[in-house]
Amino acid sequence: MVVEITRRRFTADDYQRMGRAGILSEDDRVELIDGEIVAMTPIGPRHCAAVDRATRATVMCVGDRAIVRVQGSVRLDLFHEPEPDLVLLRPRRDFYASAHPGPSDILLIVEIAESSLEYDRRVKAPMYARLGVPEYWLADLVAEELSCYSRPEGGAYHDVQQYHRGQTAAARLLPDCSIAADDLLAG
């Protein structure tokens, strides 16, 4: 006997309603990826330190030229609402109080990986490229390497640069803002 399994994809609106109804709480570490609610890996002290250092360095660097969102949602399309570690957003007077930012609002997404590296590289990088995120940085805390992906086209990034301790990287849409790789790799 063959049993056919039907999967139901949730929309970003469904996902938000689950939060408002208490089905998902603020303490749940989840995000919406391709219509599925995906549990995120626990954040350890080194990951927290890297996010904190990256946040401080990024805020100081961008000033008023961007909004720095820390571990908050972005709505990339109807079925994708990830919560990256850092997002640099185009400035907006209401700080996106009326709606989550979308791809056209995003200058840069940064993910910091200690145990989620393969997922961030194999699932999130192509997803971000396919959905129009102009630049994606992946800080690998284990290998102490920063990968900067840019020029999305056809579901892939066509330019990948690697940075190591002692080097600096600048977002393509904020070229005068250089951030030390050390600040993303939890010194």
Side-chain angles (χ1 to χ4, degrees):
M1 178 167 132
V2 176
V3 176
E4 186 174 319
I5 297 174
T6 304
R7 297 176 87 169
R8 182 191 191 287
R9 291 172 72 200
F10 295 105
T11 67
D13 290 333
D14 295 334
Y15 178 66
Q16 287 297 318
R17 278 193 295 275
M18 283 184 238
R20 287 191 301 275
I23 296 167
L24 299 172
S25 77
E26 288 186 20
D27 294 332
D28 289 325
R29 291 207 18 87
V30 295
E31 58 189 350
L32 185 68
I33 305 294
D34 197 25
E36 295 184 357
I37 298 171
V38 177
M40 295 188 286
T41 57
I43 298 175
R46 189 166 182 219
H47 185 277
C48 285
V51 171
D52 291 345
R53 286 175 63 116
T55 300
R56 183 183 67 194
T58 304
V59 167
M60 291 172 53
C61 187
V62 301
D64 292 333
R65 294 172 291 171
I67 295 170
V68 179
R69 177 168 284 194
V70 182
Q71 296 177 332
S73 294
V74 293
R75 183 172 288 192
L76 301 179
D77 72 1
L78 185 61
F79 296 104
H80 293 86
E81 195 169 304
E83 292 190 16
D85 288 310
L86 289 175
V87 183
L88 272 61
L89 301 168
R90 294 184 191 285
R92 217 167 87 172
R93 210 168 240 221
D94 75 343
F95 283 75
Y96 299 91
S98 59
H100 286 303
S104 65
D105 302 309
I106 297 169
L107 302 170
L108 169 67
I109 284 183
V110 178
E111 294 281 8
I112 296 173
E114 188 169 21
S115 59
S116 62
L117 180 67
E118 287 308 307
Y119 184 77
D120 291 339
R121 184 175 283 143
R122 302 208 187 296
V123 174
K124 286 195 169 180
M127 174 189 75
Y128 289 143
R130 186 177 67 256
L131 297 173
V133 173
E135 190 166 5
Y136 169 55
W137 290 5
L138 178 55
D140 177 352
L141 298 184
V142 176
E144 296 190 333
E145 182 175 78
L146 174 64
S147 300
C148 299
Y149 300 83
S150 59
R151 292 192 324 112
E153 186 179 314
Y157 287 105
H158 293 277
D159 188 11
V160 181
Q161 300 291 318
Q162 307 293 330
Y163 296 89
H164 298 89
R165 291 193 172 280
Q167 296 180 304
T168 60
R172 288 187 179 230
L173 295 175
L174 293 168
D176 59 333
C177 178
S178 294
I179 299 172
D182 293 37
D183 286 329
L184 296 162
L185 299 172

Tab-separated table of all heavy atoms in Angstrom, residues 55-113:
chain	number	residue	atom	x	y	z
A	55	THR	N	27.933	43.650	15.574
A	55	THR	CA	26.931	44.705	15.705
A	55	THR	C	27.591	46.030	16.045
A	55	THR	O	27.331	47.053	15.405
A	55	THR	CB	25.890	44.339	16.783
A	55	THR	OG1	25.242	43.124	16.405
A	55	THR	CG2	24.858	45.438	16.953
A	56	ARG	N	28.449	46.015	17.042
A	56	ARG	CA	29.126	47.251	17.447
A	56	ARG	C	29.940	47.831	16.287
A	56	ARG	O	29.842	49.021	15.967
A	56	ARG	CB	30.038	47.003	18.648
A	56	ARG	CG	30.693	48.314	19.128
A	56	ARG	CD	31.639	48.092	20.263
A	56	ARG	NE	32.766	47.315	19.745
A	56	ARG	CZ	33.669	46.712	20.502
A	56	ARG	NH1	33.570	46.757	21.800
A	56	ARG	NH2	34.655	46.053	19.961
A	57	ALA	N	30.736	46.994	15.640
A	57	ALA	CA	31.579	47.479	14.538
A	57	ALA	C	30.731	48.013	13.383
A	57	ALA	O	31.057	49.052	12.791
A	57	ALA	CB	32.485	46.353	14.043
A	58	THR	N	29.646	47.318	13.082
A	58	THR	CA	28.803	47.716	11.962
A	58	THR	C	28.069	49.019	12.244
A	58	THR	O	28.031	49.915	11.404
A	58	THR	CB	27.802	46.589	11.625
A	58	THR	OG1	28.537	45.389	11.374
A	58	THR	CG2	26.993	46.918	10.394
A	59	VAL	N	27.507	49.153	13.431
A	59	VAL	CA	26.795	50.382	13.793
A	59	VAL	C	27.743	51.569	13.737
A	59	VAL	O	27.397	52.630	13.203
A	59	VAL	CB	26.135	50.245	15.186
A	59	VAL	CG1	25.667	51.592	15.720
A	59	VAL	CG2	24.967	49.270	15.131
A	60	MET	N	28.944	51.396	14.284
A	60	MET	CA	29.918	52.491	14.273
A	60	MET	C	30.316	52.856	12.846
A	60	MET	O	30.512	54.029	12.529
A	60	MET	CB	31.136	52.113	15.109
A	60	MET	CG	30.814	52.050	16.596
A	60	MET	SD	32.150	51.401	17.631
A	60	MET	CE	33.531	52.412	17.170
A	61	CYS	N	30.422	51.869	11.985
A	61	CYS	CA	30.868	52.104	10.616
A	61	CYS	C	29.788	52.764	9.757
A	61	CYS	O	30.065	53.713	9.038
A	61	CYS	CB	31.293	50.782	9.994
A	61	CYS	SG	32.052	50.943	8.379
A	62	VAL	N	28.562	52.262	9.822
A	62	VAL	CA	27.521	52.761	8.914
A	62	VAL	C	26.883	54.049	9.387
A	62	VAL	O	26.337	54.799	8.573
A	62	VAL	CB	26.425	51.702	8.623
A	62	VAL	CG1	27.025	50.465	8.000
A	62	VAL	CG2	25.599	51.381	9.843
A	63	GLY	N	26.913	54.319	10.678
A	63	GLY	CA	26.299	55.552	11.176
A	63	GLY	C	24.844	55.641	10.757
A	63	GLY	O	24.068	54.716	10.962
A	64	ASP	N	24.487	56.754	10.120
A	64	ASP	CA	23.102	56.978	9.679
A	64	ASP	C	22.843	56.472	8.255
A	64	ASP	O	21.742	56.619	7.748
A	64	ASP	CB	22.770	58.474	9.730
A	64	ASP	CG	22.714	58.995	11.151
A	64	ASP	OD1	22.416	58.200	12.065
A	64	ASP	OD2	22.987	60.201	11.351
A	65	ARG	N	23.833	55.871	7.627
A	65	ARG	CA	23.671	55.420	6.233
A	65	ARG	C	22.918	54.115	6.110
A	65	ARG	O	22.533	53.725	5.007
A	65	ARG	CB	25.033	55.292	5.552
A	65	ARG	CG	25.708	56.654	5.391
A	65	ARG	CD	27.106	56.500	4.919
A	65	ARG	NE	27.840	55.899	6.045
A	65	ARG	CZ	29.069	55.453	5.987
A	65	ARG	NH1	29.721	55.494	4.866
A	65	ARG	NH2	29.657	54.943	7.050
A	66	ALA	N	22.710	53.421	7.230
A	66	ALA	CA	21.967	52.157	7.202
A	66	ALA	C	21.395	51.896	8.587
A	66	ALA	O	21.896	52.405	9.593
A	66	ALA	CB	22.877	51.001	6.780
A	67	ILE	N	20.359	51.081	8.618
A	67	ILE	CA	19.809	50.566	9.868
A	67	ILE	C	20.410	49.177	10.057
A	67	ILE	O	20.413	48.367	9.130
A	67	ILE	CB	18.270	50.472	9.795
A	67	ILE	CG1	17.663	51.874	9.667
A	67	ILE	CG2	17.717	49.732	11.012
A	67	ILE	CD1	16.178	51.867	9.341
A	68	VAL	N	20.909	48.907	11.245
A	68	VAL	CA	21.470	47.592	11.544
A	68	VAL	C	20.423	46.818	12.338
A	68	VAL	O	20.071	47.191	13.453
A	68	VAL	CB	22.784	47.701	12.349
A	68	VAL	CG1	23.325	46.315	12.675
A	68	VAL	CG2	23.810	48.521	11.574
A	69	ARG	N	19.900	45.754	11.744
A	69	ARG	CA	18.918	44.887	12.405
A	69	ARG	C	19.661	43.654	12.910
A	69	ARG	O	20.363	42.990	12.155
A	69	ARG	CB	17.823	44.492	11.430
A	69	ARG	CG	16.811	43.538	12.064
A	69	ARG	CD	15.592	43.383	11.214
A	69	ARG	NE	14.768	44.579	11.373
A	69	ARG	CZ	13.505	44.674	10.990
A	69	ARG	NH1	12.922	43.639	10.415
A	69	ARG	NH2	12.827	45.775	11.165
A	70	VAL	N	19.465	43.331	14.186
A	70	VAL	CA	20.157	42.213	14.815
A	70	VAL	C	19.156	41.090	15.092
A	70	VAL	O	18.181	41.281	15.815
A	70	VAL	CB	20.827	42.653	16.132
A	70	VAL	CG1	21.587	41.496	16.765
A	70	VAL	CG2	21.750	43.835	15.887
A	71	GLN	N	19.399	39.939	14.483
A	71	GLN	CA	18.600	38.738	14.670
A	71	GLN	C	17.101	39.023	14.605
A	71	GLN	O	16.330	38.595	15.451
A	71	GLN	CB	18.991	38.035	15.976
A	71	GLN	CG	20.419	37.550	15.919
A	71	GLN	CD	20.927	36.910	17.182
A	71	GLN	OE1	20.473	37.230	18.271
A	71	GLN	NE2	21.879	36.006	17.036
A	72	GLY	N	16.720	39.752	13.545
A	72	GLY	CA	15.321	40.084	13.305
A	72	GLY	C	14.891	39.604	11.930
A	72	GLY	O	15.717	39.309	11.062
A	73	SER	N	13.593	39.545	11.729
A	73	SER	CA	13.040	39.001	10.486
A	73	SER	C	13.177	39.943	9.301
A	73	SER	O	13.126	41.163	9.444
A	73	SER	CB	11.544	38.702	10.663
A	73	SER	OG	11.349	37.684	11.593
A	74	VAL	N	13.320	39.335	8.135
A	74	VAL	CA	13.168	40.011	6.844
A	74	VAL	C	12.230	39.136	6.014
A	74	VAL	O	12.279	37.911	6.105
A	74	VAL	CB	14.521	40.233	6.115
A	74	VAL	CG1	15.385	41.228	6.863
A	74	VAL	CG2	15.276	38.936	5.910
A	75	ARG	N	11.363	39.761	5.254
A	75	ARG	CA	10.423	38.993	4.425
A	75	ARG	C	10.913	39.048	2.989
A	75	ARG	O	10.831	40.075	2.330
A	75	ARG	CB	9.016	39.566	4.522
A	75	ARG	CG	8.029	38.723	3.727
A	75	ARG	CD	6.618	39.124	3.937
A	75	ARG	NE	6.176	38.725	5.262
A	75	ARG	CZ	4.913	38.736	5.644
A	75	ARG	NH1	3.970	39.132	4.819
A	75	ARG	NH2	4.582	38.371	6.856
A	76	LEU	N	11.418	37.917	2.513
A	76	LEU	CA	12.011	37.880	1.178
A	76	LEU	C	10.984	37.585	0.096
A	76	LEU	O	11.148	38.003	-1.041
A	76	LEU	CB	13.143	36.859	1.143
A	76	LEU	CG	14.276	37.134	2.136
A	76	LEU	CD1	15.339	36.065	2.038
A	76	LEU	CD2	14.858	38.519	1.932
A	77	ASP	N	9.960	36.840	0.427
A	77	ASP	CA	8.828	36.601	-0.468
A	77	ASP	C	7.729	35.940	0.350
A	77	ASP	O	7.800	35.899	1.585
A	77	ASP	CB	9.217	35.779	-1.715
A	77	ASP	CG	9.509	34.312	-1.448
A	77	ASP	OD1	9.411	33.860	-0.279
A	77	ASP	OD2	9.845	33.598	-2.405
A	78	LEU	N	6.739	35.393	-0.289
A	78	LEU	CA	5.586	34.820	0.392
A	78	LEU	C	5.942	33.644	1.307
A	78	LEU	O	5.268	33.403	2.307
A	78	LEU	CB	4.558	34.373	-0.658
A	78	LEU	CG	3.215	33.858	-0.138
A	78	LEU	CD1	2.487	34.944	0.659
A	78	LEU	CD2	2.356	33.378	-1.298
A	79	PHE	N	7.023	32.918	1.009
A	79	PHE	CA	7.357	31.701	1.752
A	79	PHE	C	8.691	31.758	2.488
A	79	PHE	O	9.166	30.736	2.984
A	79	PHE	CB	7.350	30.493	0.807
A	79	PHE	CG	5.995	30.208	0.232
A	79	PHE	CD1	5.705	30.541	-1.084
A	79	PHE	CD2	5.004	29.624	1.004
A	79	PHE	CE1	4.452	30.284	-1.621
A	79	PHE	CE2	3.744	29.371	0.480
A	79	PHE	CZ	3.466	29.704	-0.837
A	80	HIS	N	9.307	32.921	2.547
A	80	HIS	CA	10.625	33.037	3.182
A	80	HIS	C	10.661	34.238	4.126
A	80	HIS	O	10.544	35.380	3.675
A	80	HIS	CB	11.727	33.206	2.133
A	80	HIS	CG	11.922	32.007	1.276
A	80	HIS	ND1	11.181	31.776	0.147
A	80	HIS	CD2	12.772	30.961	1.393
A	80	HIS	CE1	11.571	30.635	-0.405
A	80	HIS	NE2	12.533	30.123	0.334
A	81	GLU	N	10.851	33.935	5.413
A	81	GLU	CA	11.037	34.985	6.409
A	81	GLU	C	12.130	34.539	7.385
A	81	GLU	O	11.859	34.134	8.511
A	81	GLU	CB	9.726	35.276	7.139
A	81	GLU	CG	9.777	36.576	7.898
A	81	GLU	CD	8.417	37.019	8.403
A	81	GLU	OE1	7.484	37.161	7.591
A	81	GLU	OE2	8.305	37.229	9.628
A	82	PRO	N	13.386	34.617	6.925
A	82	PRO	CA	14.496	34.219	7.793
A	82	PRO	C	14.791	35.292	8.841
A	82	PRO	O	14.304	36.425	8.744
A	82	PRO	CB	15.662	34.066	6.819
A	82	PRO	CG	15.346	35.025	5.725
A	82	PRO	CD	13.837	35.024	5.604
A	83	GLU	N	15.615	34.916	9.818
A	83	GLU	CA	16.072	35.835	10.856
A	83	GLU	C	17.594	35.809	10.892
A	83	GLU	O	18.195	35.134	11.735
A	83	GLU	CB	15.490	35.458	12.215
A	83	GLU	CG	13.998	35.669	12.287
A	83	GLU	CD	13.435	35.528	13.696
A	83	GLU	OE1	14.214	35.564	14.666
A	83	GLU	OE2	12.209	35.391	13.800
A	84	PRO	N	18.226	36.521	9.962
A	84	PRO	CA	19.696	36.529	9.918
A	84	PRO	C	20.287	37.162	11.173
A	84	PRO	O	19.618	37.905	11.889
A	84	PRO	CB	20.016	37.387	8.696
A	84	PRO	CG	18.735	37.588	7.978
A	84	PRO	CD	17.636	37.358	8.945
A	85	ASP	N	21.557	36.895	11.408
A	85	ASP	CA	22.227	37.479	12.566
A	85	ASP	C	22.291	38.996	12.464
A	85	ASP	O	22.023	39.695	13.434
A	85	ASP	CB	23.630	36.884	12.730
A	85	ASP	CG	23.567	35.446	13.218
A	85	ASP	OD1	22.854	35.197	14.216
A	85	ASP	OD2	24.196	34.583	12.605
A	86	LEU	N	22.653	39.514	11.300
A	86	LEU	CA	22.699	40.964	11.069
A	86	LEU	C	22.165	41.268	9.679
A	86	LEU	O	22.431	40.524	8.735
A	86	LEU	CB	24.127	41.496	11.116
A	86	LEU	CG	24.845	41.563	12.441
A	86	LEU	CD1	26.278	42.007	12.224
A	86	LEU	CD2	24.152	42.499	13.391
A	87	VAL	N	21.460	42.380	9.579
A	87	VAL	CA	21.017	42.868	8.276
A	87	VAL	C	21.268	44.367	8.244
A	87	VAL	O	20.906	45.081	9.178
A	87	VAL	CB	19.510	42.611	8.031
A	87	VAL	CG1	19.113	43.057	6.637
A	87	VAL	CG2	19.149	41.159	8.247
A	88	LEU	N	21.888	44.836	7.183
A	88	LEU	CA	22.009	46.267	6.950
A	88	LEU	C	20.895	46.659	6.001
A	88	LEU	O	20.780	46.099	4.892
A	88	LEU	CB	23.368	46.622	6.337
A	88	LEU	CG	24.495	46.877	7.339
A	88	LEU	CD1	24.774	45.651	8.176
A	88	LEU	CD2	25.732	47.340	6.616
A	89	LEU	N	20.072	47.617	6.451
A	89	LEU	CA	18.890	48.035	5.703
A	89	LEU	C	19.011	49.475	5.239
A	89	LEU	O	19.644	50.297	5.912
A	89	LEU	CB	17.645	47.917	6.600
A	89	LEU	CG	17.350	46.538	7.159
A	89	LEU	CD1	16.285	46.633	8.249
A	89	LEU	CD2	16.888	45.620	6.039
A	90	ARG	N	18.344	49.751	4.137
A	90	ARG	CA	18.260	51.136	3.691
A	90	ARG	C	17.544	51.933	4.781
A	90	ARG	O	16.573	51.456	5.350
A	90	ARG	CB	17.471	51.234	2.391
A	90	ARG	CG	18.169	50.553	1.230
A	90	ARG	CD	17.406	50.741	-0.077
A	90	ARG	NE	17.950	49.872	-1.085
A	90	ARG	CZ	19.108	50.065	-1.718
A	90	ARG	NH1	19.837	51.110	-1.429
A	90	ARG	NH2	19.536	49.211	-2.623
A	91	PRO	N	18.023	53.132	5.064
A	91	PRO	CA	17.365	53.936	6.107
A	91	PRO	C	15.911	54.223	5.743
A	91	PRO	O	15.584	54.462	4.579
A	91	PRO	CB	18.178	55.228	6.128
A	91	PRO	CG	19.486	54.877	5.511
A	91	PRO	CD	19.198	53.798	4.510
A	92	ARG	N	15.080	54.157	6.747
A	92	ARG	CA	13.672	54.494	6.585
A	92	ARG	C	13.212	55.172	7.864
A	92	ARG	O	13.572	54.747	8.951
A	92	ARG	CB	12.857	53.220	6.327
A	92	ARG	CG	11.741	53.444	5.342
A	92	ARG	CD	11.150	52.171	4.858
A	92	ARG	NE	10.093	51.741	5.757
A	92	ARG	CZ	9.281	50.740	5.519
A	92	ARG	NH1	9.398	50.043	4.403
A	92	ARG	NH2	8.363	50.399	6.374
A	93	ARG	N	12.434	56.200	7.707
A	93	ARG	CA	12.011	57.010	8.848
A	93	ARG	C	11.323	56.190	9.942
A	93	ARG	O	11.533	56.420	11.116
A	93	ARG	CB	11.072	58.090	8.343
A	93	ARG	CG	11.124	59.335	9.133
A	93	ARG	CD	10.389	60.381	8.370
A	93	ARG	NE	11.372	61.405	8.138
A	93	ARG	CZ	11.119	62.675	8.239
A	93	ARG	NH1	9.908	63.088	8.480
A	93	ARG	NH2	12.065	63.545	8.071
A	94	ASP	N	10.502	55.229	9.551
A	94	ASP	CA	9.752	54.444	10.540
A	94	ASP	C	10.514	53.206	11.032
A	94	ASP	O	9.985	52.437	11.821
A	94	ASP	CB	8.388	54.038	9.986
A	94	ASP	CG	8.449	52.909	8.963
A	94	ASP	OD1	9.543	52.622	8.415
A	94	ASP	OD2	7.393	52.305	8.696
A	95	PHE	N	11.754	53.022	10.584
A	95	PHE	CA	12.576	51.877	10.969
A	95	PHE	C	11.857	50.556	10.703
A	95	PHE	O	12.015	49.597	11.445
A	95	PHE	CB	13.022	51.971	12.441
A	95	PHE	CG	14.150	52.943	12.658
A	95	PHE	CD1	13.923	54.313	12.637
A	95	PHE	CD2	15.444	52.498	12.872
A	95	PHE	CE1	14.954	55.213	12.819
A	95	PHE	CE2	16.485	53.384	13.062
A	95	PHE	CZ	16.240	54.750	13.030
A	96	TYR	N	11.040	50.532	9.656
A	96	TYR	CA	10.309	49.335	9.224
A	96	TYR	C	9.259	48.886	10.247
A	96	TYR	O	8.981	47.705	10.384
A	96	TYR	CB	11.280	48.190	8.859
A	96	TYR	CG	12.187	48.591	7.727
A	96	TYR	CD1	13.419	49.182	7.962
A	96	TYR	CD2	11.773	48.434	6.411
A	96	TYR	CE1	14.231	49.589	6.924
A	96	TYR	CE2	12.584	48.831	5.361
A	96	TYR	CZ	13.817	49.417	5.618
A	96	TYR	OH	14.613	49.830	4.592
A	97	ALA	N	8.657	49.847	10.934
A	97	ALA	CA	7.604	49.530	11.901
A	97	ALA	C	6.328	49.057	11.201
A	97	ALA	O	5.570	48.275	11.761
A	97	ALA	CB	7.287	50.751	12.771
A	98	SER	N	6.100	49.479	9.969
A	98	SER	CA	4.859	49.142	9.259
A	98	SER	C	4.921	47.785	8.571
A	98	SER	O	3.886	47.196	8.275
A	98	SER	CB	4.518	50.221	8.244
A	98	SER	OG	5.568	50.362	7.310
A	99	ALA	N	6.113	47.275	8.311
A	99	ALA	CA	6.260	45.973	7.643
A	99	ALA	C	7.721	45.543	7.703
A	99	ALA	O	8.628	46.376	7.768
A	99	ALA	CB	5.820	46.059	6.187
A	100	HIS	N	7.913	44.221	7.660
A	100	HIS	CA	9.284	43.721	7.604
A	100	HIS	C	9.934	44.168	6.296
A	100	HIS	O	9.270	44.250	5.259
A	100	HIS	CB	9.308	42.191	7.665
A	100	HIS	CG	9.008	41.639	9.016
A	100	HIS	ND1	9.723	41.969	10.142
A	100	HIS	CD2	8.064	40.763	9.429
A	100	HIS	CE1	9.244	41.337	11.182
A	100	HIS	NE2	8.219	40.598	10.787
A	101	PRO	N	11.228	44.433	6.327
A	101	PRO	CA	11.920	44.796	5.097
A	101	PRO	C	11.956	43.631	4.113
A	101	PRO	O	11.948	42.463	4.508
A	101	PRO	CB	13.330	45.158	5.566
A	101	PRO	CG	13.468	44.576	6.929
A	101	PRO	CD	12.101	44.411	7.493
A	102	GLY	N	11.993	43.983	2.828
A	102	GLY	CA	12.091	43.004	1.761
A	102	GLY	C	13.418	43.114	1.046
A	102	GLY	O	14.276	43.922	1.428
A	103	PRO	N	13.617	42.333	-0.007
A	103	PRO	CA	14.905	42.325	-0.716
A	103	PRO	C	15.380	43.704	-1.175
A	103	PRO	O	16.571	43.996	-1.095
A	103	PRO	CB	14.644	41.403	-1.911
A	103	PRO	CG	13.555	40.503	-1.450
A	103	PRO	CD	12.683	41.352	-0.553
A	104	SER	N	14.480	44.562	-1.641
A	104	SER	CA	14.905	45.878	-2.128
A	104	SER	C	15.358	46.798	-0.997
A	104	SER	O	16.009	47.807	-1.248
A	104	SER	CB	13.789	46.535	-2.939
A	104	SER	OG	12.674	46.796	-2.097
A	105	ASP	N	15.037	46.460	0.239
A	105	ASP	CA	15.446	47.259	1.398
A	105	ASP	C	16.801	46.828	1.950
A	105	ASP	O	17.401	47.535	2.748
A	105	ASP	CB	14.410	47.110	2.525
A	105	ASP	CG	13.015	47.524	2.102
A	105	ASP	OD1	12.869	48.627	1.555
A	105	ASP	OD2	12.077	46.731	2.309
A	106	ILE	N	17.261	45.660	1.553
A	106	ILE	CA	18.450	45.045	2.147
A	106	ILE	C	19.713	45.462	1.404
A	106	ILE	O	19.802	45.353	0.186
A	106	ILE	CB	18.306	43.509	2.138
A	106	ILE	CG1	17.117	43.094	3.014
A	106	ILE	CG2	19.599	42.840	2.593
A	106	ILE	CD1	16.717	41.638	2.869
A	107	LEU	N	20.692	45.922	2.162
A	107	LEU	CA	22.012	46.233	1.615
A	107	LEU	C	22.960	45.043	1.787
A	107	LEU	O	23.793	44.778	0.933
A	107	LEU	CB	22.606	47.458	2.328
A	107	LEU	CG	21.782	48.743	2.252
A	107	LEU	CD1	22.340	49.802	3.198
A	107	LEU	CD2	21.732	49.246	0.824
A	108	LEU	N	22.827	44.336	2.913
A	108	LEU	CA	23.733	43.237	3.239
A	108	LEU	C	23.096	42.363	4.308
A	108	LEU	O	22.492	42.883	5.246
A	108	LEU	CB	25.063	43.799	3.774
A	108	LEU	CG	26.053	42.824	4.400
A	108	LEU	CD1	26.623	41.856	3.370
A	108	LEU	CD2	27.186	43.588	5.088
A	109	ILE	N	23.245	41.052	4.164
A	109	ILE	CA	22.880	40.101	5.221
A	109	ILE	C	24.153	39.416	5.687
A	109	ILE	O	24.991	39.015	4.874
A	109	ILE	CB	21.856	39.053	4.727
A	109	ILE	CG1	20.466	39.691	4.632
A	109	ILE	CG2	21.835	37.823	5.637
A	109	ILE	CD1	19.357	38.745	4.223
A	110	VAL	N	24.275	39.284	7.017
A	110	VAL	CA	25.423	38.605	7.620
A	110	VAL	C	24.902	37.452	8.482
A	110	VAL	O	24.041	37.656	9.332
A	110	VAL	CB	26.252	39.561	8.510
A	110	VAL	CG1	27.422	38.816	9.163
A	110	VAL	CG2	26.739	40.763	7.714
A	111	GLU	N	25.416	36.262	8.233
A	111	GLU	CA	25.156	35.099	9.079
A	111	GLU	C	26.475	34.708	9.730
A	111	GLU	O	27.522	34.697	9.072
A	111	GLU	CB	24.623	33.908	8.278
A	111	GLU	CG	23.262	34.114	7.666
A	111	GLU	CD	22.094	33.954	8.627
A	111	GLU	OE1	22.329	33.814	9.854
A	111	GLU	OE2	20.954	33.972	8.155
A	112	ILE	N	26.418	34.412	11.015
A	112	ILE	CA	27.593	33.961	11.746
A	112	ILE	C	27.367	32.497	12.078
A	112	ILE	O	26.323	32.142	12.634
A	112	ILE	CB	27.821	34.827	12.994
A	112	ILE	CG1	28.131	36.261	12.528
A	112	ILE	CG2	28.926	34.249	13.869
A	112	ILE	CD1	28.222	37.287	13.599
A	113	ALA	N	28.308	31.647	11.687
A	113	ALA	CA	28.104	30.197	11.806
A	113	ALA	C	29.187	29.552	12.651
A	113	ALA	O	30.376	29.738	12.408
A	113	ALA	CB	28.089	29.567	10.417
